[in-house]
Amino acid sequence: VTWLRERWHDRAEAPEVRLSAAIGWLCLTDQAVPEEFRRTVDTLADDERAHAMEALRWMNAASGTGEPGLLRCRRCMLHPEEPDPEAAAWDSLF
């Protein structure tokens, strides 16, 4: 956990390394998520990386209607107050 924190925290690391380390850190710790972590993931989890990561089975499985898995994970885990686009789409039908 310490090693992963050092990787996502280190601005000298490649963005992909930092994002991967952040995901690993989040999965392995029960520590409170620091604000710097949120800012880092919000910056690094962009549309380009999200679409590239859709090739990963586990990330593809996490995707929702029109929302790549990485962006859905970011929203659900770090920003639960944001509306779910899939639910909004269903709600608009009724």
Side-chain angles (χ1 to χ4, degrees), residues 28-91:
L28 293 175
T29 189
D30 58 358
Q31 297 175 19
V33 175
E35 188 57 36
E36 182 181 1
F37 179 92
R38 291 178 200 275
R39 284 192 307 271
T40 299
V41 172
D42 285 344
T43 299
L44 298 175
D46 60 12
D47 286 333
E48 183 179 351
R49 286 189 189 92
H51 289 292
M53 290 181 77
E54 283 297 286
L56 302 170
R57 286 184 183 177
W58 62 274
M59 198 53 80
N60 185 275
S63 64
T65 302
E67 188 177 28
L70 176 63
L71 300 182
R72 186 166 189 231
C73 289
R74 179 186 68 184
R75 179 181 52 76
C76 291
M77 297 173 89
L78 299 178
H79 304 288
E81 74 284 355
E82 291 182 5
D84 180 348
E86 189 170 341
W90 280 106
D91 290 346

